[in-house]
Amino acid sequence: MKDNIVLQMKNIHKSFPGVRALQGVDFTLRKGEVHALMGENGAGKSTLIKVLTGVYSKDEGDIFLDGKEGPVAIHSPQDAQKIGISTVYQEITLCPNLSVAENMFIGRTSGIGQNWRKMNSDTEKILKSLDIPATATQQLETCSLAVQQMIAIARAVDMDCKVLILDEPTSSLDEQEVEKLFKLMRDLRSKGVGIVFVTHFLDQVYEICDRITVMRDGQLVGEFEIEKLPRVQLVSKMLGKELDDMSDIKGEQKAYERKAGSVPVLEAQGRVSDAGIKPFDFHIDKGEVNGFTGLLGSGRSECVRALFAADRVTGGTIKMNGKPVKISKPLDAMKNGIAYLPEDRKGDGIVGDLSVRENIILAQQVLKGFFKPFSKAKQYEIADEYIKLLSIKTASADTPIKSLSGGNQQKVILARWLFTHPEYLILDEPTRGIDVGTKVDIQKLVLKLASEGMSVTFISSELDEMLRTCSRLVVMRDRKVVGELSGDDLNQSKVMSTIAGGDK
Amino acid sequence: MQKNEVKKPNESMLSRMVRHQMFIPVLALVILAVFNLIADPAFFKITVGQNSSGNMVLQGFLISILNDGSELAILAIGMTLVTAASGGQDISVGAAVAIAGSVLLRILGGGNSRPEELAAPIIVAFLVSCLVAMLFGAFNGVLVAYFKIQPMIATLILYTAGRSIAAWINNNELPVITDPSLGYYGGFIPGVPIPTPFFIAAICVAIIFLVLKFTNLGLYTQSVGINENSAKLNGLNPQVIKVITYVIMGLCVAVVGLIKVSRISTINYSTIAKDIEMDAILAVALGGNALSGGKFNMAASIFGAYVIQFLTSTLYKFKVSSDALPAYKAVVVIVLVVISAPTVKEWFGNVTKKFKVKEVA
């Protein structure tokens, strides 16, 4: 093995029932580099990482590690940790009901007995050195999602690793937090740590990475040096075809113009829920695409949840097409033609053990009523229709949704709500943690639905995506609406300054 | 018809069979049957004989399994639904059977402990006992769904108090009903050689399958059990659905109460349906259903109930005293829990895969 190579994976194979997730994939990581692992949903990135960290056992292939003779055997995450491979996963895998310090040290102490005081003081030191706003004795679930993510990274970093794997670490962080993380990554790189960085944010890849390995459909596309691979090339390699969809989508939305005398599809006044937002007013017209924007925790999700009555509604009125309606629970909202794709796909969206088919029909079935189930044949017909329409990658309509990749799960949830034929569709972070191709698909779909007369509210933490898709943006700060932008004001700098608080 | 299931070509028949939910209960039944066949083939003998009321009826171990297992099968229906929706079990079932039976006797006797004739038609008494059992079910359900108490803890209340309540309903007396028509439900209908509980169970099973087919009970309970948040955002009311499953459990309890009381024409508050909840829970588990809730297979639970009864009868056949029974059943529980553990399943999957590879080579 060459001196500067810290990790080499050769000819890795892995199959699941009905899916060949990895087919002869090679991967090489050098000392002191940040190496991006990129690919569409279902490309096999997560599987490759889980093989590397011992979560899955590989069917075939060898893994070599610097300083070890011959191939190493990794049977469990503990094995991986012992030989210096640490991971921070996309979804936080810490224990929410333990303290921060306990989470930092869990599974790392040897023998019995625990010096609690030392553990706490060590944790405080680490938190301070990384500038993480938490205390050692604080219960983890009382920290924000972003802070929890940073603690997970701090834990991995603290374990003297040679290989650090970051699986979508930035998807729930805001820009300043991402900057902090990048600073940390650069420090580690200069110390010779090899970092595998899995992300869907192209900007971040080009900001921090040295090399890119691209995968597609469980196979290796190639390894590239960052300077030699322009963005367009990267996207086309990931998608497996030459296309310029990213620019296609620009300029499709028109400036928002309120037609005189038109009645909004939905109009809310003083709407407020118990989730801690200030009462807000909101309206959306037929065929309009608008969005809520703001920093993480600004209350944008809470607003749309209040419209759908996903949280307990405590005040305000709603009119649908000019008629006052009472929406105090999700079913009321659904009956009034509102659909809501929630932000937390795993916790609020999918029903994991049920099949793709049952997940698709669920909402419409509830609307239809307890005593009127769809026949099996009809269910398959519907499921097949939407699997085809949204090109959902699944072995069959009977596959449990939990075994699909994140992007495909999201498409199933989208199918569920499209099947209710809503008048007003709320999409809360529909593109989080999914690949470029699906993102573009979803953006295009939103614009297509709007052109057919559906009203859509679109929330994304990527401002580019919002600007490309929405014709009006409601800006939020500190849990209240602070502005509304449309037409010429709809540009990055104006949105930023509104979020930041204007001239202050 | 469309092709619903994509058959994976590289999957052997064996591993597909092993993964089927019915595999474990069927395997258990086969093992028990073979064991009995070797130990004493007379176990399978069915004879025609005269019972105490003078009817010609079928007799034998298999018939008594069919007879007693039917009570368990009815309770397994309710237990499966409760488990699926609330991710826990109702341990008050035996005590609730005592209450339902006591109510039935109270109405039939009209407050008189040695009535000359029935004070009310049996159907009326049964409907009242259904109502009472469903109310107690709703009580359990409300504790679980609205007060978010763990099902085992919530139902512990009725488990503890139930038999006392049952005794209190009849002022601590044991009414004896002499009317022979009450005996039909737990015994035999004149001229029919097969025990009536089997027919009652068959009706209950038919009803639940019709309900599962023509309503969304299955989809709703499973959705709530798997992901309550998601179920809520799809317009379901998880609380109401959980309460409904406990009310259905109550209905099953009332039916078993009728059978139990009919068998002896009276009641023993401290022994009626004692420990039956454990067998019902075991039936659900033997059917391969996760006791943590979510997806369920009703047929497997019901089949599991009869297999449990098969086991009990086998143990009785070998003169195991009723005090020692739980120890033997505990062995079954251990085996069940171990073979349904994910790690063991994975290991078994690997073994069958290797087997298959060898076959090809």
Side-chain angles (χ1 to χ4, degrees), chain B residues 6 24 28 33 39 43 48 87 91 111 124 127 141 193 222 227 231 238 249 274 333:
Chain B
V6 181
I24 287 172
F43 188 86
V48 179
I91 60 165
V124 172
L127 288 177
Q222 294 184 94
N227 189 341
M249 178 89 248
K274 194 164 187 302
V333 177

Side-chain angles (χ1 to χ4, degrees), chain A residues 190-235:
Chain A
S190 62
K191 284 177 193 156
V193 176
I195 300 175
V196 183
F197 185 44
V198 182
T199 184
H200 290 297
F201 298 102
L202 293 182
D203 288 347
Q204 295 180 357
V205 170
Y206 282 89
E207 189 179 337
I208 193 147
C209 294
D210 306 304
R211 269 195 186 75
I212 305 177
T213 289
V214 182
M215 293 176 69
R216 190 171 66 237
D217 295 333
Q219 285 167 326
L220 179 73
V221 175
E223 188 196 270
F224 309 92
E225 282 178 41
I226 195 99
E227 304 87 43
K228 292 177 187 158
L229 188 71
R231 283 177 195 223
V232 188
Q233 290 268 322
L234 172 60
V235 171

Side-chain angles (χ1 to χ4, degrees), chain B residues 25-350:
Chain B
V26 169
L27 182 72
L29 185 66
V30 169
I31 291 172
L32 280 170
V34 168
F35 176 75
N36 276 303
L37 205 61
I38 295 166
D40 182 7
F43 188 86
F44 295 96
K45 219 165 94 185
I46 295 173
T47 55
V48 179
Q50 208 170 35
N51 70 354
S52 54
S53 47
N55 294 320
M56 294 304 285
V57 297
L58 296 175
Q59 288 167 340
F61 278 100
L62 290 184
I63 300 300
S64 78
I65 290 167
L66 217 53
N67 192 351
D68 296 333
S70 293
E71 292 171 2
L72 218 47
I74 294 165
L75 293 177
I77 293 172
M79 196 64 85
T80 305
L81 293 174
V82 161
T83 301
S86 69
Q89 287 71 41
D90 182 348
I91 60 165
S92 71
V93 169
V97 168
I99 295 176
S102 188
V103 168
L104 191 79
L105 286 174
R106 167 87 200 201
I107 306 286
L108 288 178
N112 187 343
S113 70
R114 294 288 181 277
E116 298 288 319
E117 53 188 27
L118 297 181
I122 293 172
I123 181 72
V124 172
F126 173 63
L127 288 177
V128 174
S129 81
C130 282
L131 200 69
V132 172
M134 282 159 77
L135 277 176
F136 278 103
F139 170 77
N140 283 336
V142 167
L143 287 181
V144 170
Y146 289 92
F147 294 92
K148 315 247 178 251
I149 301 172
Q150 284 191 7
M152 288 231 183
I153 306 298
T155 54
L156 186 64
I157 299 169
L158 195 58
Y159 173 85
T160 315
R163 291 176 193 275
S164 310
I165 295 172
W168 169 78
I169 288 170
N170 273 309
N171 297 321
N172 250 327
E173 286 176 37
L174 305 173
V176 177
I177 303 296
T178 47
D179 193 300
S181 65
L182 179 64
Y184 297 166
Y185 301 93
F188 295 85
I189 297 167
V192 181
I194 297 166
T196 319
F198 177 70
F199 295 112
I200 299 179
I203 292 168
C204 291
V205 169
I207 290 174
I208 193 66
F209 277 101
L210 288 176
V211 167
L212 288 175
K213 187 168 167 58
F214 291 106
T215 74
N216 286 308
L217 187 69
L219 183 67
Y220 288 9
T221 48
Q222 294 184 94
S223 300
V224 168
I226 295 165
N227 189 341
E228 194 170 328
N229 285 340
S230 177
K232 200 185 116 194
L233 290 180
N234 280 288
L236 293 175
N237 186 332
Q239 278 88 16
V240 169
I241 288 161
K242 283 184 196 172
V243 172
I244 288 173
T245 62
Y246 280 85
V247 170
I248 294 173
M249 178 89 248
L251 201 55
C252 298
V253 159
V255 174
V256 173
L258 172 70
I259 294 173
K260 282 280 185 199
V261 164
S262 163
R263 285 193 198 283
I264 54 172
S265 295
T266 181
I267 192 166
N268 180 332
Y269 300 118
S270 57
T271 60
I272 181 175
K274 194 164 187 302
D275 293 340
I276 203 168
E277 52 274 347
M278 293 308 152
D279 280 356
I281 294 168
L282 205 50
V284 175
L286 186 64
N289 299 301
L291 292 184
S292 51
K295 266 192 98 68
F296 69 83
N297 182 334
M298 186 59 81
S301 284
I302 292 165
F303 186 71
Y306 284 103
V307 176
I308 296 291
Q309 194 60 43
F310 202 112
L311 171 71
T312 310
S313 290
T314 304
L315 293 172
Y316 275 134
K317 171 88 174 35
F318 288 93
K319 305 271 190 299
V320 173
S321 77
S322 58
D323 291 336
L325 266 185
Y328 286 87
K329 280 191 188 157
V331 175
V332 178
V333 177
I334 293 166
V335 172
L336 263 184
V337 171
V338 170
I339 52 181
S340 55
T343 46
V344 178
K345 272 191 179 157
E346 194 181 326
W347 174 82
F348 204 80
N350 288 340

Side-chain angles (χ1 to χ4, degrees), chain A residues 6-195:
Chain A
V6 65
L7 169 81
Q8 198 161 26
M9 299 176 82
K10 275 187 181 162
N11 195 29
I12 306 290
H13 284 262
K14 175 76 190 170
S15 301
F16 297 108
V19 190
R20 293 171 69 189
L22 293 176
Q23 302 166 47
V25 175
D26 297 337
F27 180 72
T28 310
L29 183 69
R30 292 153 194 83
K31 272 183 192 163
E33 74 168 357
V34 178
H35 194 136
L37 186 56
M38 311 230 20
E40 286 231 72
N41 284 320
K45 305 176 305 264
S46 288
T47 312
L48 186 70
I49 283 171
K50 284 185 175 169
V51 165
L52 178 57
T53 54
V55 176
Y56 296 149
S57 58
K58 57 186 186 301
D59 296 343
E60 241 180 86
D62 293 311
I63 301 174
F64 300 94
L65 205 67
D66 181 36
K68 297 263 194 285
E69 279 293 316
V72 290
I74 305 170
H75 296 298
S76 70
Q78 284 79 13
D79 285 358
Q81 230 172 69
K82 253 181 237 158
I83 57 175
I85 301 173
S86 286
T87 319
V88 174
Y89 283 114
Q90 179 176 2
E91 264 114 19
I92 291 157
T93 46
L94 300 177
C95 309
N97 52 354
L98 294 184
S99 76
V100 171
E102 284 167 320
N103 270 296
M104 290 283 286
F105 286 92
I106 196 168
R108 294 169 52 194
T109 47
S110 50
I112 47 170
Q114 175 67 54
N115 185 343
W116 292 92
R117 200 174 300 162
K118 183 170 183 303
M119 191 174 90
N120 284 338
S121 67
D122 284 356
T123 305
E124 288 292 357
K125 250 181 256 160
I126 299 161
L127 292 175
K128 211 166 176 191
S129 72
L130 299 181
D131 212 5
I132 300 172
T135 59
T137 51
Q138 193 178 0
Q139 203 176 327
L140 187 75
E141 67 187 349
T142 61
C143 303
S144 71
L145 261 173
V147 172
Q148 289 186 28
Q149 182 79 69
M150 298 187 82
I151 289 167
I153 293 165
R155 177 188 148 90
V157 165
D158 190 47
M159 285 191 279
D160 276 340
C161 51
K162 286 184 217 156
V163 177
L164 175 66
I165 301 161
L166 301 175
D167 191 356
E168 294 261 3
T170 55
S171 51
S172 53
L173 303 189
D174 68 30
E175 261 171 62
Q176 291 134 18
E177 288 164 330
V178 169
E179 256 329 298
K180 271 183 204 158
L181 173 68
F182 281 2
K183 186 175 160 292
L184 187 66
M185 285 166 71
R186 289 190 186 104
D187 286 356
L188 291 167
R189 173 164 66 184
S190 62
K191 284 177 193 156
V193 176
I195 300 175

